[in-house]
Amino acid sequence: MFTRAFWKATGERAVRTFAQGTLGAIGADGLGVLDVDWGQAASVGGLASVIAVLTAVAFSGAGQPGPGITETAGSRPIGA
């Protein structure tokens, strides 16, 4: 948890989660892009992002160097 790689991976996860949460809220609303309450959609994404960061911090003491249970910060994907 005290490494730059951990926080970089956690930041990337938070951004992805924000985007997924926001898009999920927009899709669940079933409205067109012009009819979306963007403040509410961003709020859902922000809350999801905060939860992602808290989850990464909570599992950082589980003996894993990465922000997730099965991840390692700075590891390369298979085949890369």
Side-chain angles (χ1 to χ4, degrees):
M1 179 169 101
F2 300 107
T3 66
R4 178 175 287 234
F6 173 85
W7 288 108
K8 181 180 176 189
T10 300
E12 290 173 2
R13 173 181 284 190
V15 169
R16 283 193 318 259
T17 303
F18 176 82
Q20 291 167 348
T22 302
L23 290 173
I26 292 168
D29 210 8
L31 299 173
V33 174
L34 299 176
D35 299 324
V36 172
D37 180 353
W38 288 101
Q40 188 175 22
S43 177
V44 169
L47 178 60
S49 215
V50 167
I51 292 170
V53 170
L54 293 175
T55 301
V57 170
F59 283 106
S60 68
Q64 299 296 327
I69 296 173
T70 60
E71 293 175 305
T72 57
S75 66
R76 296 173 60 103
I78 295 174

